[in-house]
Amino acid sequence: MGYTDEYQAALENGEHYWAEQAERIHWFRKPQTTLKKTESGTWNWYPDGELNSCYLALDHQIAQGRGEQVALYYDSPVTGSKQAISYNALRDKVARFAGALRSHGVEKGDTVLIYMPMIPEAAVAMLACARLGAVHSVVFGGFAPHEMAVRIDDAEPKVILTASCGIEFDKTIAYKPLVDLAIATAKHKPRCTIVCQRPLLKAELNNARDLDWEQVQEGVEPAECVPVRGEDPLYILYTSGTTGQPKGIVRDNGGHAVALSYALNNVYGMNEGDVWWGASDIGWVVGHSFIVYGPLMGGCSSIFFEGKPVRTPDAGTYWRVIAEYGVNSMFCAPTAFRAIRKEDPNGELARQHDLSSLRWIFVAGEKLDSSTYNWLSELLKVPVLDHWWQTETGWPMTAPMMGLTDPAEPRLGSTHKPLPGYDIRVVDGEGNEVPVGEAGHICVKLPMPPGVAWSIWNNDERFVSSYLTAFPGYYHTGDGGYRDDEGYIYITGRTDDVINVAGHRLSTGEMEEVVSAHPAVAECAVIGVNDELKGQLPVGLVVIKAGEEIDEAQLQAELVQRVRDQVGALACFRRAVVVKRLPKTRSGKILRATLRKIAAAEPYKMPSTIDDASILDEITERLQQAGFDRAKAPE
Ligand code: COA
Ligand code: AMP
């Protein structure tokens, strides 16, 4: 069947379509129920099927004769090390480590927090949890201890897994003290912290709860896979929402396995034995879906890369990896290619490598600008395919289906057509569908397909209020955009207080909480401004308390340090601009949507509820004075 038939089949009888797709994975016990509505008004796919995600990723592959094939190619230009780990070897490492976790009390349903750099032990940690039916929660290395503490208190992990250090270009970042500080700050205390010691920097195991990664494995029995139900959680992944409290997105085992297997073959066009590279980090959803679980469940060899696109050692490192391992396809955030292009505008470094293995490149995570698209397409002479998804969905909502015989032609500016299972509608503020070509809120008609998250950890109500309430009957993506007359979707950006900095999803609300806590600050708004390299950067608009005498440069330095200490370096909060007043509605709400438009140099309509319209001119002028010359006056 071609795209149109597949899409129609899923639209007309979703349950039947996804029951058939469930045949593509190995169940210990096949699901009797395909789709179940829950009491809180969400859904579960394959709730009563029995499976194990680690079994699918490793043991099942070995049973299919892939034991000697490479499962992970670890490539670390920052340490000069490389490893090719076969499915057999990875299964043995995972089973042993799972045995160690079990001997420290980790059982099915327990939570385990993972704070680790891109080393193979991080994949071992995730898969070992899955093997036991335990629920992992990976926290990205760039988050500060405060952010980790918030996640510890929410997920209440029995055990924390970490490494002695991470490496950022030429900087060695000691992880263990960050974990210690997070545990000290959090109310919940894990039973133990297991530390993987890296040769570059050893951690002091100075707390009673500290354990050594190798020692915990001595003399333990390897663990077998524990069957779990399709609806049981595989992992929690925290993502930014509009408030300071991140949302613990919960992924199930059954729907996830079916969706990833479906997407790997049909969307990414990957087959068993192919070499796939998800150029991201295990701290993000891409790392979960398409560095670890997806490619392994699909019998591919997955690249596990510890480095950056530039300066590790140069802007040719991605091309070297593609050539060295014969990468057939990859995922990457556009910002990485912008970074490469900045260093090597003529692509000289790419031309030094044989990139003939590459069939196409997928990009997502943020807007793909036309100049990066053109540069990359001309340089590589392969399709550069924009596609769109979110942490919540776990796999793409719109994308070309490269595994089908008739993938539609890409269209510049569009993230392509909806995938089977995603009935995408563009609606206005009242939930009415808008005409073709008109911008609105992008929503998906319920129910969503398998793999999509259906709850927030310990907080189903928040899931319902965040995603299902604004437009009844739809999942609200939080993205704005439009559809063209042939059904291609165009994403214009977030309609809430989430920004995307270097492909990293961040909440401005979270930064606002930190900035407002400064003693000199009366109130503030943090907005995302456009940035050529990172897509967006946060800027604080700050009102100083009456009578406060503080130099603007000093205030900025203090605020930058606070955000760095509390949110983390990855926030890239480097600018704070003092303003006299912030624009508000008559009921006192800050007009963030209008501020966002001013900062993005987009035309805006004067909000009818504005209390004092002259403030917008004041802010535009202040931003222009502060060097944000794109800030623009109203239409
Ligand atoms: N551990 C610790 N610190 C980290 C970190 C990690 N895992 N990741 C980022 N940071 C720190 C960086 O060291 C930097 O700190 P600094 O302010 O002291 O320099 C800060 O967070 C900002 O990082 P980043 O925005 O990534 O900037 P960069 O200059 O280090 O790298 C790029 C710029 C474009 C090369 C890099 O952002 C990149 O490769 N982006 C692609 C991201 C991606 O693949 N996203 C996929 C998500 S799906
Ligand atoms: P995350 O949950 O970190 O994957 O971020 C998801 C958000 O990134 C989406 O809601 C979009 O705002 C943005 N995003 C993802 N892919 C694209 C894309 N291809 N084009 C534009 N924005 C994107």
Side-chain angles (χ1 to χ4, degrees):
M1 287 208 294
Y3 166 76
T4 311
D5 293 332
E6 294 282 345
Y7 188 79
Q8 265 324 103
L11 191 66
E12 279 159 21
N13 191 345
E15 270 192 69
H16 177 72
Y17 186 81
W18 292 110
E20 277 188 350
Q21 302 308 325
E23 297 288 332
R24 54 171 64 241
I25 68 161
H26 178 90
W27 298 89
F28 297 145
R29 184 171 163 272
K30 291 206 172 188
Q32 306 301 303
T33 308
T34 305
L35 180 63
K36 184 182 88 181
K37 195 161 186 184
T38 66
E39 279 172 20
S40 57
T42 63
W43 278 266
N44 277 326
W45 286 93
Y46 320 115
D48 55 3
E50 280 186 11
L51 75 166
N52 180 285
S53 297
C54 176
Y55 182 88
L56 294 174
L58 301 175
D59 306 62
H60 180 65
Q61 303 307 324
I62 295 167
Q64 302 296 304
R66 270 186 285 286
E68 294 304 317
Q69 185 193 310
V70 173
L72 293 183
Y73 284 111
Y74 168 57
D75 188 293
S76 170
V78 289
T79 56
S81 35
K82 293 176 188 176
Q83 286 176 39
I85 308 172
S86 69
Y87 274 93
N88 278 334
L90 188 58
R91 195 266 318 268
D92 292 349
K93 283 173 190 284
V94 168
R96 208 169 48 246
F97 194 68
L101 285 178
R102 193 175 49 193
S103 72
H104 284 86
V106 176
E107 291 170 20
K108 181 173 165 179
D110 287 339
T111 50
V112 174
L113 189 135
I114 301 174
Y115 186 73
M116 295 180 79
M118 285 293 289
I119 52 176
E121 286 80 0
V124 169
M126 292 165 75
L127 291 161
C129 291
R131 197 169 186 85
L132 296 175
V135 182
H136 59 70
S137 183
V138 181
V139 178
F140 180 66
F143 279 116
H146 165 77
E147 287 294 319
M148 208 189 319
V150 170
R151 287 154 175 79
I152 292 174
D153 278 335
D154 195 64
E156 301 188 322
K158 207 174 223 181
V159 172
I160 294 188
L161 307 175
T162 190
S164 53
C165 65
I167 300 146
E168 285 292 296
F169 295 110
D170 49 3
K171 262 187 312 186
T172 304
I173 299 181
Y175 274 22
K176 173 66 171 27
L178 304 177
V179 173
D180 286 344
L181 185 54
I183 296 174
T185 315
K187 288 193 201 75
H188 172 83
K189 308 292 174 196
R191 279 192 195 176
C192 58
T193 305
I194 303 179
V195 186
C196 177
Q197 295 282 21
R198 306 190 72 185
L200 207 61
L201 179 83
K202 298 260 184 242
E204 279 188 36
L205 305 188
N206 44 6
N207 291 311
R209 65 172 170 265
D210 293 346
L211 298 167
D212 177 81
W213 191 276
E214 297 302 327
Q215 278 172 10
V216 292
Q217 299 183 64
E218 282 169 13
V220 298
E221 277 290 303
E224 286 308 316
C225 294
V226 174
V228 297
R229 285 167 61 89
E231 65 185 349
D232 284 341
L234 168 67
Y235 69 76
I236 311 166
L237 182 57
Y238 287 87
T239 192
S240 302
T242 44
T243 68
Q245 178 70 21
K247 296 191 263 200
I249 299 299
V250 181
R251 188 85 55 217
D252 63 9
N253 276 276
H256 178 245
V258 173
L260 293 193
S261 154
Y262 179 88
L264 190 81
N265 297 153
N266 291 317
V267 177
Y268 296 106
M270 291 288 99
N271 293 309
E272 292 144 357
D274 281 344
V275 181
W276 164 263
W277 183 12
S280 178
D281 186 287
I282 50 146
W284 307 113
V285 68
V286 178
H288 286 64
S289 296
F290 294 112
I291 296 179
V292 180
Y293 289 109
L296 298 182
M297 285 176 176
C300 295
S301 301
S302 180
I303 307 281
F304 210 84
F305 176 75
E306 186 185 24
K308 301 262 180 174
V310 291
R311 291 165 41 217
T312 56
D314 58 28
T317 199
Y318 271 30
W319 316 130
R320 193 263 308 157
V321 170
I322 294 170
E324 190 166 331
Y325 303 102
V327 170
N328 299 121
S329 177
M330 72 183 292
F331 169 101
C332 192
T335 195
F337 290 120
R338 288 199 293 268
I340 294 173
R341 180 183 174 201
K342 198 167 163 218
E343 305 272 311
D344 180 24
N346 299 323
E348 311 287 343
L349 295 166
R351 286 184 245 281
Q352 292 172 11
H353 297 276
D354 173 4
L355 306 179
S356 57
S357 60
L358 200 61
R359 299 177 201 143
W360 41 73
I361 283 188
F362 277 86
V363 292
E366 51 166 340
K367 201 158 178 53
L368 171 64
D369 54 286
S370 56
S371 88
T372 306
Y373 169 82
N374 289 331
W375 179 80
L376 198 57
S377 314
E378 275 163 32
L379 182 67
L380 301 182
K381 310 254 179 316
V382 296
V384 174
L385 305 164
D386 195 2
H387 68 320
W388 168 66
W389 49 303
Q390 310 179 304
T391 304
E392 291 84 342
T393 65
W395 64 289
M397 288 183 276
T398 67
M401 298 188 72
M402 301 312 282
L404 300 186
T405 46
D406 65 341
E409 284 296 306
R411 260 183 208 184
L412 188 57
S414 164
T415 62
H416 232 272
K417 292 187 180 183
L419 291 182
Y422 291 101
D423 182 1
I424 296 183
R425 310 289 175 99
V426 186
V427 302
D428 64 18
E430 274 72 54
N432 304 310
E433 279 190 58
V434 300
V436 161
E438 213 169 274
H441 301 271
I442 306 198
C443 294
V444 187
K445 200 153 184 277
L446 297 174
M448 302 268 274
V452 172
W454 286 114
S455 55
I456 288 177
W457 185 249
N458 283 336
N459 203 341
D460 279 348
E461 299 80 48
R462 188 169 178 209
F463 185 89
V464 173
S465 65
S466 303
Y467 302 108
L468 308 182
T469 305
F471 304 106
Y474 295 98
Y475 166 86
H476 178 206
T477 65
D479 279 313
Y482 61 97
R483 178 204 290 272
D484 73 12
D485 53 359
E486 283 185 52
Y488 282 77
I489 301 289
Y490 298 73
I491 306 295
T492 49
R494 298 287 306 191
T495 54
D496 56 12
D497 297 323
V498 167
I499 57 170
N500 219 300
V501 179
H504 304 145
R505 176 168 158 181
L506 296 163
S507 155
T508 53
E510 215 161 346
M511 293 182 228
E512 279 177 14
E513 282 183 20
V514 177
V515 172
S516 337
H518 188 285
V521 172
E523 60 179 353
C524 79
V526 174
I527 51 174
V529 297
N530 296 335
D531 180 73
E532 269 181 18
L533 177 64
K534 298 195 179 182
Q536 281 186 295
L537 279 177
V539 171
L541 301 177
V542 180
V543 180
I544 298 181
K545 281 183 187 157
E548 267 301 332
E549 300 269 329
I550 183 162
D551 172 64
E552 187 163 350
Q554 188 197 334
L555 177 66
Q556 174 170 278
E558 289 176 15
L559 294 175
V560 166
Q561 195 56 45
R562 278 175 175 242
V563 176
R564 205 178 162 85
D565 290 345
Q566 291 190 48
V567 179
L570 88 166
C572 295
F573 181 90
R574 296 191 184 123
R575 295 297 305 274
V577 177
V578 173
V579 294
K580 275 196 250 151
R581 307 174 288 174
L582 287 169
K584 291 191 184 156
T585 61
R586 277 178 222 109
S587 59
K589 278 198 184 145
I590 296 176
L591 286 160
R592 288 191 169 73
T594 314
L595 285 176
R596 275 201 297 271
K597 291 214 159 161
I598 293 183
E602 285 171 17
Y604 60 88
K605 286 204 178 73
M606 187 61 71
S608 54
T609 51
I610 194 163
D611 185 33
D612 181 348
S614 65
I615 300 179
L616 293 180
D617 292 336
E618 254 173 55
I619 301 249
T620 306
E621 203 177 303
R622 264 311 275 131
L623 283 169
Q624 282 167 347
Q625 275 169 4
F628 299 100
D629 57 353
R630 300 206 211 168
K632 207 160 134 186
E635 284 176 313

